[in-house]
Amino acid sequence: MDNERPPHPPAPADGEQSPPGPPAPDDESGTGGAGGNEERAEGEAEATRTRHWPRRTRRTLLAALLALLLPLLTAETALRLNYTGDPRPGTHTRHRDALWLGHAWVDGRKTDKDVKKLAGRLRTTGIKDLYVHAGPLEHDGTLPQQAYRKAPWLIETLHRELPGIRVQAWLGDVLATESPDGMHLEREATRDAIVASAKDILDAGFQGTHFDLEPLHSGDRNYLNLLDRLHALTHSRHALLSVAAHQIDPLPAFHSFWGTTTGHPKWWSQAYFGQVARRVDQIAVMSYDTMQPLQSLYGGYVAEQTSLALEVTPKSTDLLMGLPFYHENRFGHWGHAETVPAAVRGVRLGLSRTDADRARFGVALYVDFAATEADWRAYRDGWVSGA
């Protein structure tokens, strides 16, 4: 999840005053003759320049502001229109949904009672896959077994309570793409270690590996190479390879523009998203932290992301759209705007317009420990029942 914060504009200095107005007229009675008139003319000219300069500056600033705001307003209007209409009948769960689970499930904090409670909740949903946080990976790609020491107990207990559920290991790390600290995917030794860690995870009983590596820049060939190797491993073990994916450019090449201006590209090109989707069994779009201020704009954004992802995801790959089961207020994520009802409606609209009959499709709920009853109810009412 991104944690971007814009710089705050400096507050006006104490005692700051408006630009001075024109000077008072000269007292002609004290100057007399042509000299007085000449000085008065010069004073009036200076006054005119003083009056006109702020006005020209304001016009220039206004023009610059409009140049920045008009494209934004146009894009936001398009998102609002994208949120209109009704979803098609049948655009509801295909029973291929997923849930991200926190680390407490494998480090000893959860008990049999917690698993039973979770199973009771999930039986009335469309959830098929659980992404259990078993990491994070070390920066060199290794994974201490102590990090997931209770995994065998959890997997056995879940399978007993929920026959047919799939339990995958959620592994991630911060990449050294925007700072010197983090994981270096360009190092072959790091990629070797990640593959070895995935093998250990499968040996522990997990039925798949779910990778979330961020920030991952669009076009990264080292990541594609890693996915090829991981998919060969999981395929040989009859397991799943799943990834969490960045959002797709809402405008062509927008990640390049954003990366140039902020140093954080954030989005992937649609072509790169397709390259990733073709190398995995499941791809879950992190369709939250969108910087949208209203539910209607967020829902329209999710509808657009759903359509863009559907266009390039092979029908043999599960495509999941993320739902925000958490509540924060910060730059990039407004809790009052990024709601589950808005996301579900956006998903259904995008699915309706692009590929309403897509079978390998679902939603992914982020995250269990921050979810409220209202979130679960909105998911069940809007997506499971298709209301």
Side-chain angles (χ1 to χ4, degrees):
M1 198 180 304
D2 293 310
N3 189 21
E4 305 155 280
R5 297 181 184 273
H8 294 289
D14 291 340
E16 185 176 352
Q17 299 180 0
S18 302
D26 291 333
D27 186 356
E28 291 183 70
S29 63
T31 57
N37 291 333
E38 192 174 343
E39 290 176 4
R40 183 174 64 181
E42 290 176 359
E44 289 176 350
E46 177 62 28
T48 299
R49 287 194 295 271
T50 305
R51 286 196 301 270
H52 286 178
W53 171 246
R55 191 174 297 122
R56 288 197 300 270
T57 301
R58 287 195 294 270
R59 284 200 296 266
T60 301
L61 291 174
L62 179 60
L65 184 61
L66 288 175
L68 291 173
L69 288 181
L70 283 177
L72 177 62
L73 291 174
T74 300
E76 296 293 82
T77 300
L79 293 181
R80 180 62 185 88
L81 292 174
N82 212 29
Y83 196 58
T84 60
D86 296 319
R88 286 180 53 177
T91 51
H92 49 71
T93 188
R94 278 84 164 117
H95 298 280
R96 290 180 174 272
D97 304 333
L99 170 65
W100 277 282
L101 293 175
H103 200 80
W105 293 94
V106 292
D107 67 3
R109 282 178 282 171
K110 297 292 186 178
T111 66
D112 284 14
K113 182 178 178 181
D114 295 310
V115 176
K116 288 181 180 292
K117 183 178 179 180
L118 176 65
R121 182 186 292 280
L122 298 185
R123 286 191 187 99
T124 58
T125 70
I127 292 175
K128 174 71 172 179
D129 289 284
L130 300 176
Y131 305 142
V132 184
H133 191 265
L137 294 164
E138 300 293 332
H139 289 343
D140 63 1
T142 59
L143 180 65
Q145 291 187 355
Q146 184 65 15
Y148 54 95
R149 61 186 177 86
K150 296 286 287 184
W153 159 81
L154 176 67
I155 296 167
E156 179 183 353
T157 308
L158 279 170
H159 285 165
R160 184 176 63 247
E161 295 293 332
L162 289 171
I165 201 77
R166 293 186 300 205
V167 188
Q168 300 190 48
W170 168 16
L171 304 174
D173 193 22
V174 176
L175 298 179
T177 50
E178 298 172 15
S179 74
D181 299 322
M183 177 182 286
H184 290 264
L185 277 186
E186 73 276 12
R187 297 174 181 171
E188 186 175 1
T190 300
R191 299 196 299 273
D192 290 343
I194 294 173
V195 174
S197 296
K199 182 179 180 300
D200 292 340
I201 279 292
L202 297 178
D203 289 342
F206 285 102
Q207 296 161 282
T209 56
H210 175 80
F211 283 90
D212 178 15
L213 302 174
E214 301 179 55
L216 184 65
H217 292 181
S218 183
D220 191 319
R221 302 298 305 180
N222 295 308
Y223 183 59
L224 298 181
N225 173 273
L226 174 63
L227 293 180
D228 287 337
R229 296 181 59 188
L230 287 170
H231 203 200
L233 169 66
T234 56
H235 182 74
S236 70
R237 301 286 293 271
H238 305 288
L240 297 175
L241 174 59
S242 174
V243 295
H246 289 21
Q247 298 157 31
I248 301 172
D249 280 332
L251 298 171
F254 196 68
H255 71 278
S256 296
F257 163 76
W258 198 259
T260 300
T261 55
T262 69
H264 174 50
K266 183 176 174 69
W267 293 270
W268 287 352
S269 72
Q270 189 183 34
Y272 186 69
F273 185 97
Q275 290 177 315
V276 173
R278 289 191 293 272
R279 287 170 164 82
V280 299
D281 301 300
Q282 287 182 334
I283 185 166
V285 184
M286 295 180 284
S287 40
Y288 32 77
D289 295 346
T290 65
M291 297 181 283
Q292 298 304 319
L294 301 173
Q295 285 194 65
S296 58
L297 298 180
Y298 172 61
Y301 184 93
V302 172
E304 179 191 45
Q305 287 292 308
T306 302
S307 293
L308 291 171
L310 282 167
E311 289 171 358
V312 293
T313 301
K315 292 185 182 296
S316 58
T317 300
D318 285 347
L319 171 63
L320 308 178
M321 302 303 297
L323 302 185
F325 270 45
Y326 65 101
H327 305 270
E328 296 177 5
N329 285 295
R330 53 178 173 77
F331 180 72
H333 178 88
W334 299 103
H336 67 272
E338 296 195 11
T339 66
V340 176
V344 167
R345 176 173 166 77
V347 168
R348 295 187 65 198
L349 287 170
L351 183 63
S352 298
R353 294 165 183 159
T354 311
D355 193 353
D357 298 322
R358 176 75 67 112
R360 304 183 75 93
F361 184 86
V363 296
L365 288 45
Y366 182 89
V367 57
D368 75 303
F369 54 79
T372 65
E373 289 300 326
D375 294 331
W376 283 104
R377 184 167 57 251
Y379 160 68
R380 289 193 302 267
D381 293 347
W383 180 246
V384 178
S385 66

